Amino acid sequence: METSEELNFLATLLPLVGILFIIAMGVVLLMQQFRKNLYRQKLAQEELITLHQQELLRSSIQVQEDERKRIATDIHDELGATLSIARMHLMALETQNKNNAVENAAAFQNIRSLIETSMTSVRRISHELMPQNLQMFGLPETLQSIVKMVNSSNNIHILIKCDEEVNDLPWALKLGLYRISLELINNTIKHAQAKEICLDIHCRHNELTFFYTDDGIGLSENFEKNGLGQKSIEARAMSIGGTLKVGNKKNGGFYAEMTIPDIQGKA
Amino acid sequence: MKDFSKYIIIISHVPILITSCYALITFRKQQTILKVFSCFLFLSYLVQFASLLFWFNRMNNMPLLHAYVGIGFLMLALFYKKVLEGFISGTVIYSVAIAFLIFTVLNSLFVQSVLTFNSYALTLESVLLIIFSLTTYILLLDKTVKEKRKSLVSSINWINSGIFIYYVSNLLIFYFSGYFSRYFSLEFNRYTWVVHSFFSVVMYTFFFIGLWRRAKN
């Protein structure tokens, strides 16, 4: 009798164990869903933070560029004009004092050459601050003009291939590419002891690829990833939505590769 | 002894009345989550008092219970959906609620008639609400959930505890009711309903505290 009651109790208890198991399983499944949703939310949040940082960077670079443009215009229009007037007055004085002593003529000549040097410097600085050529002729032409300038020195040879489609890109993107190219060329000339630089910028399937190499000594072991130049290149790359990779080539030399996806969306 | 049980069962309806009245008074100031829960309280109040009236008039109040199980669960599912919004997909909770509704209708139509005690539907309702309440407990331990439900954490905790305590006791009572009726006296069985009423009082007291502790701003 006792055994029969025990069996009855057991028969009642066993389904309860099943119910408890179902409850536990239900909680576990809901918890898994919770973890998944939480992970997704955190990812979305991080993406928002990154987007916000990119936006901040973009606007700070924009402010920097606007300021450069203002300084370039001021230098060119005000200082340049003042120097031109000073040169004009000096030339007038030179004509009036033709009969004066030879030492005076030499002094005039000296002042004039100083003014002319200043005028050249003003033009160069204002062009560097805001590349007029880029605005007028586009990126491929501007880069080619730099190539001509550097190649004429005969110390280093630059080869640039740049698709014409790049000119259809927004100004901020073109300016970003120009500044990055200039910074990289400048770094190679200064530190790499290279003989050749190759730069390839092309647009394929709504993606822009920027590939820069030189045959110099490459990055040293104690290369500062947080150096000012490197930081500036990375910030610019990030502000135009690009992903930048830098390193040493297998056969020696330095390389920098940047891809910018969805360039049509940026237009 | 029969009268004692009777009075206990009648008195157990008082906390429902107090809590529902309080929910009605504060309804306009409540946040959406608590408004959904207050609607459940109003429904409970109506059903419990209607069934008490039926009981006094010696009428079968089981059809009311059949309807209450389905609609009550739907409202509690909606409450949990609001509490767990953003963390547990609403589709999961809605799917469970709809599946349960179909089950309870089929159970009332074909298995346990509307004139009999619907123990299957009540047992399943208890299981599902225990799952929801346990999940809510665990979720409320998470920092992100706490941050999001900031002003309502205390209220949700009290309400969830009330639901958990009542439905666990419900599950055990309904589950063992068959065993008790087979092996124990009628008086013992009546006591199980007194115990049930006690847990109902505990639940509505917790609900009252939950509504009381809501963020006043």
Side-chain angles (χ1 to χ4, degrees):
Chain A
M1 187 64 191
E2 258 183 38
T3 324
S4 144
E5 271 181 22
E6 275 171 6
L7 276 174
N8 274 337
F9 187 69
L10 200 67
T12 314
L13 209 61
L14 271 177
L16 184 68
V17 175
I19 287 174
L20 290 178
F21 178 74
I22 290 168
I23 291 173
M25 283 306 291
V27 174
V28 168
L29 285 175
L30 285 181
M31 283 315 297
Q32 269 183 345
Q33 229 236 342
F34 164 65
R35 292 274 157 232
K36 210 167 72 182
N37 282 348
L38 200 68
Y39 179 68
R40 209 176 295 154
Q41 274 183 21
K42 277 187 181 160
L43 271 184
Q45 225 168 17
E46 271 166 25
E47 205 172 308
L48 264 180
I49 291 170
T50 316
L51 273 177
H52 179 67
Q53 278 174 341
Q54 267 185 14
E55 196 50 52
L56 275 179
L57 194 67
R58 200 170 297 136
S59 57
S60 91
I61 284 177
Q62 185 57 47
V63 167
Q64 202 183 46
E65 289 299 343
D66 288 348
E67 195 56 17
R68 276 176 181 227
K69 194 174 181 180
R70 192 188 63 77
I71 295 169
T73 316
D74 285 357
I75 289 177
H76 189 266
D77 296 354
E78 290 178 27
L79 194 59
T82 313
L83 284 171
S84 294
I85 293 165
R87 183 172 164 267
M88 201 175 72
H89 281 293
L90 192 71
M91 282 168 78
L93 271 177
E94 267 185 298
T95 330
Q96 282 169 19
N97 292 293
K98 258 183 188 167
N99 302 327
N100 276 5
V102 180
E103 59 267 28
N104 276 357
F108 277 127
Q109 171 75 31
N110 195 19
I111 296 169
R112 189 153 54 90
S113 90
L114 280 173
I115 290 175
E116 276 164 2
T117 313
S118 303
M119 282 170 76
T120 316
S121 300
V122 162
R123 206 173 298 124
R124 183 181 54 77
I125 292 168
S126 70
H127 281 190
E128 271 174 17
L129 283 168
M130 190 41 64
Q132 298 274 325
N133 286 356
L134 185 64
Q135 274 177 320
M136 286 160 71
F137 308 113
L139 187 63
E141 282 298 314
T142 312
L143 289 176
Q144 287 305 338
S145 71
I146 292 167
V147 168
K148 268 184 210 159
M149 214 160 62
V150 177
N151 285 355
S152 64
S153 71
N154 284 330
N155 288 328
I156 197 161
H157 182 257
I158 305 182
L159 185 72
I160 291 183
K161 278 188 227 162
C162 183
D163 285 357
E164 283 296 323
E165 288 97 312
V166 174
N167 282 335
D168 301 331
L169 296 175
W171 169 250
L173 212 69
K174 280 189 285 188
L175 190 63
L177 290 170
Y178 171 77
R179 296 263 189 240
I180 292 170
S181 309
L182 233 60
E183 185 73 44
L184 287 169
I185 291 170
N186 196 27
N187 282 351
T188 299
I189 293 170
K190 267 190 190 167
H191 312 290
Q193 299 158 28
K195 289 278 165 220
E196 196 172 81
I197 292 173
C198 290
L199 176 60
D200 188 4
I201 304 174
H202 64 255
C203 306
R204 300 271 186 288
H205 312 297
N206 196 24
E207 188 178 84
L208 184 137
T209 311
F210 174 101
F211 194 67
Y212 177 93
T213 53
D214 69 33
D215 60 349
I217 53 170
L219 298 171
S220 62
E221 277 180 15
N222 29 344
F223 155 70
E224 275 183 74
K225 253 202 146 181
N226 293 325
L228 207 61
Q230 179 63 22
K231 255 186 170 176
S232 152
I233 293 171
E234 276 176 12
R236 281 200 181 274
M238 198 197 251
S239 79
I240 54 176
T243 322
L244 183 78
K245 269 199 296 187
V246 292
N248 287 335
K249 290 189 293 179
K250 276 178 191 165
N251 52 350
F254 165 82
Y255 81 90
E257 188 178 10
M258 179 173 67
T259 47
I260 307 173
D262 189 28
I263 45 172
Q264 273 166 10
K266 288 180 174 69
Chain B
M1 216 57 194
K2 193 181 168 187
D3 281 347
F4 172 73
S5 308
K6 189 177 158 186
Y7 291 130
I8 289 285
I9 290 166
I10 293 167
I11 289 168
S12 71
H13 284 71
V14 176
I16 310 171
L17 178 69
I18 296 170
T19 313
S20 305
C21 286
Y22 183 69
L24 190 67
I25 294 164
T26 57
F27 190 77
R28 290 181 73 181
K29 292 174 193 166
Q30 289 169 6
Q31 293 186 34
T32 323
I33 293 178
L34 293 183
K35 275 186 180 164
V36 171
F37 184 72
S38 291
C39 290
F40 165 75
L41 283 177
F42 302 147
L43 174 82
S44 303
Y45 168 79
L46 288 174
V47 172
Q48 301 270 13
F49 278 86
S51 62
L52 201 63
L53 280 177
F54 275 44
W55 187 47
F56 276 129
N57 293 316
R58 298 188 177 282
M59 287 161 73
N60 189 338
N61 58 10
M62 283 299 142
L64 277 175
L65 182 67
H66 279 257
Y68 175 64
V69 169
I71 302 168
F73 180 79
L74 207 64
M75 293 182 108
L76 280 179
L78 198 65
F79 165 69
Y80 277 113
K81 192 246 158 198
K82 290 272 172 204
V83 170
L84 307 174
E85 205 158 51
F87 304 105
I88 301 285
S89 158
T91 325
V92 173
I93 296 178
Y94 282 139
S95 311
V96 171
I98 290 165
F100 176 75
L101 215 60
I102 294 168
F103 170 81
T104 190
V105 169
L106 292 177
N107 181 52
S108 301
L109 288 176
F110 305 110
V111 187
Q112 291 175 313
S113 145
V114 285
L115 298 172
T116 59
F117 187 63
N118 56 344
S119 59
Y120 296 155
L122 277 164
T123 307
L124 184 62
E125 185 193 25
S126 303
V127 168
L128 294 173
L129 287 172
I130 290 168
I131 292 172
F132 285 159
S133 62
L134 280 175
T135 309
T136 306
Y137 272 131
I138 302 169
L139 255 66
L140 284 177
L141 292 174
D142 192 276
K143 212 172 79 185
T144 321
V145 185
K146 259 189 196 168
E147 287 268 306
K148 212 168 179 184
R149 298 277 173 265
K150 231 182 279 178
S151 59
L152 281 173
V153 169
S154 177
S155 292
I156 293 170
N157 254 326
W158 279 100
I159 293 169
N160 192 46
S161 302
I163 292 172
F164 180 70
I165 291 170
Y166 176 74
Y167 282 97
V168 166
S169 68
N170 238 3
L171 178 69
L172 294 174
I173 290 169
F174 296 146
Y175 188 80
F176 285 109
S177 60
Y179 185 78
F180 292 154
S181 60
R182 207 177 308 147
Y183 296 101
F184 294 89
S185 66
L186 194 68
E187 204 170 306
F188 183 88
N189 276 293
R190 203 171 286 134
Y191 271 123
T192 56
W193 291 108
V194 173
V195 172
H196 174 257
S197 300
F198 167 76
F199 282 113
S200 165
V201 170
V202 170
M203 176 174 77
Y204 284 103
T205 311
F206 275 39
F207 287 173
F208 182 81
I209 299 170
L211 289 177
W212 183 265
R213 293 189 65 133
R214 74 187 194 282
K216 299 286 192 294
N217 299 321

